[in-house]
Amino acid sequence: MKKEVNSRETPRAEAFELWMSSPMPMVTLTKTFDVSRILKTSRKRGWKFNMILCWAIGRAASKTRELLLLPEKDSDSSWRLMQYDSIAINVIVENKKGGINSCDIHYSDDIQKFNKDYLRLTSEAAAECKSSSIEDAMVVGTSAMIGTELDCIVNQYTDLFCNPMLMWGSYRRGSFRTTLPISFQFHHVQMDGSHAARFLELLQAIIIAI
C-alpha cells in the first residue's frame, strides 16, 4: 500500500524543498555489471536472463529505503511525498502487433514465484496488446534494448513518471566474464548520488550471489 507522508518528517525533507522546483530533477548513473552468474543460472535453470535481472533489481530495491519514497503530482498540480511498503518491477514488452506494452510485476523474495508471474504477465501483455499497472506498490521501471550493445542510456524526463528506471542493451561476452552496462535514472528528491551508488553496489552483490 502507499500513503502520503509529511516530507518535513522524512530524511528527504531538504531534498524535497530543493529539488521539487527544479525543471530537471532526474539523475542518471551508469555502471558496468558482471552478469556472468545470471547467464550461467539462466542456462542451467532455463530461466530468462531478463527475468533474473529484474528479480535482482527488485531484491536490491526492497533493501533500499530511499526507493520506498516518491514524489507524486496531485490533481491540482501540487507535489506530495508518498511512502510505499512494497516493490513492483515494470517490464516493457513487444506485443504481437509490433508495438509495446508494459506490465507491473509484484516483487517476491521467492524467485520461482516471481518467474511464474513474470512469464504470465509478459505473455498476456504481448498477446493481448494491453498494459497492466499496480497502483499500491513502488514501481521500478526497466527497459531492455537487446538489439545492440549500449554504453549508456539517458531517458526522457516527464513529471508524469518520476519512478526510478534501469535500462540496458545486450550483454557483452568476454574471455572470462560477461558484462552489461546498466543506466539507473532516479529523482533527486528520492535519493542522492551516494544512495544511488550504494544501490548499484548492492545490485552487483545480489547478482553475484544468485
Side-chain angles (χ1 to χ4, degrees), residues 13-62:
E14 185 176 352
F16 189 88
E17 295 299 322
L18 180 64
W19 296 108
M20 284 318 308
S21 60
S22 170
M24 182 58 74
M26 306 302 285
V27 182
T28 301
L29 301 183
T30 300
K31 175 180 172 61
T32 298
F33 287 79
D34 183 342
V35 294
S36 307
R37 185 68 179 176
I38 291 182
L39 187 60
K40 181 178 180 180
T41 302
S42 174
R43 291 176 173 175
K44 180 179 179 180
R45 295 186 175 271
W47 291 343
K48 291 181 180 293
F49 179 97
N50 194 69
M51 182 283 296
I52 302 173
L53 181 52
C54 285
W55 178 85
I57 290 169
R59 186 164 182 80
S62 70

Side-chain angles (χ1 to χ4, degrees), residues 136-171:
D136 61 350
M138 173 66 234
V139 178
V140 179
T142 69
S143 185
M145 289 151 276
I146 60 174
T148 186
E149 293 181 356
L150 295 169
D151 297 320
C152 178
I153 305 171
V154 178
N155 197 24
Q156 65 174 334
Y157 167 66
T158 168
D159 59 9
L160 298 176
F161 185 83
C162 298
N163 298 58
M165 189 164 189
L166 292 96
M167 299 160 281
W168 57 88
S170 60
Y171 56 71

Side-chain angles (χ1 to χ4, degrees), residues 48 91 93 103 105 117-127:
K48 291 181 180 293
V91 179
V93 181
C103 56
I105 306 164
D117 292 340
Y118 178 97
L119 293 175
R120 175 176 57 83
L121 291 168
T122 55
S123 295
E124 289 175 358

Side-chain angles (χ1 to χ4, degrees), residues 5-16 69 81 83 189:
V5 294
N6 186 342
S7 62
R8 295 183 180 86
E9 298 175 356
T10 73
R12 304 306 296 162
E14 185 176 352
F16 189 88
L69 288 172
L81 194 61
Q83 184 174 51
V189 166

